[in-house]
Amino acid sequence: MPNVVLILIDTLRRDFLSPYNGVRGSTPGFERLAQLGTTFDNAYLTSYPCMPARRDLWTGRYEFPWRGWGPLEPTDQPLPALLTTAGIHAGLVTDHYHLFEHGSGNYHFGFSSWDFIRGQEKDAWKLPRQPALW
């Protein structure tokens, strides 16, 4: 069975990536990944905001702007769960705290493993420094 790695990055433009002849600098990590895998010349936007776009990828349905930001529905059959049920390892590594956030979370369900890298955007995983009281 081949390995499939899906990399989803918010706010990254094609002209910043050297495998696509980006003019904004060198990206050697992406160059190596392109050499080992497949690059695509055409991409079509389904949903623009980050969480609806992830829901499109997870479920295979294009729902924005009819359905906005929110959790997966109980009737959804997300791809990670289908893969895991079929005995295929589906792992998630993310720093996108909205996948776990109250009211829009549960996107990590169905993966056979996941790792959450904390500290992005407004993820309050550390207390602010307080002056010593003594």
Side-chain angles (χ1 to χ4, degrees):
M1 166 121 353
N3 293 318
V4 176
V5 177
L6 171 65
I7 299 174
L8 176 61
I9 302 171
D10 285 351
T11 321
L12 179 64
R13 295 178 7 192
R14 180 184 177 116
D15 61 337
F16 280 73
L17 299 173
S18 47
Y20 290 103
N21 299 316
V23 296
R24 308 271 181 164
S26 175
T27 53
F30 281 105
E31 290 175 23
R32 179 77 174 131
L33 188 61
Q35 291 169 356
L36 294 171
T38 302
T39 57
F40 296 92
D41 292 323
N42 294 308
Y44 300 93
L45 183 66
T46 56
S47 297
Y48 185 73
C50 59
M51 290 307 290
R54 282 161 176 77
R55 187 165 193 271
D56 291 350
L57 285 171
W58 264 243
T59 65
R61 290 189 247 166
Y62 305 143
E63 298 196 34
F64 189 77
W66 304 278
R67 184 188 185 283
W69 195 291
L72 295 172
E73 301 295 336
T75 57
D76 286 335
Q77 294 185 7
L79 179 61
L82 295 173
L83 293 171
T84 300
T85 301
I88 300 169
H89 176 77
L92 169 70
V93 178
T94 185
D95 66 355
H96 194 73
Y97 82 98
H98 297 297
L99 297 177
F100 304 90
E101 185 179 35
H102 180 71
S104 66
N106 76 6
Y107 282 77
H108 62 293
F109 291 0
F111 284 93
S112 42
S113 68
W114 55 268
D115 188 12
F116 180 27
I117 302 166
R118 302 291 306 268
Q120 297 298 321
E121 201 174 332
K122 297 176 186 174
D123 177 26
W125 70 287
K126 287 185 180 179
L127 293 173
R129 287 195 117 186
Q130 299 293 326
L133 298 175
W134 56 88

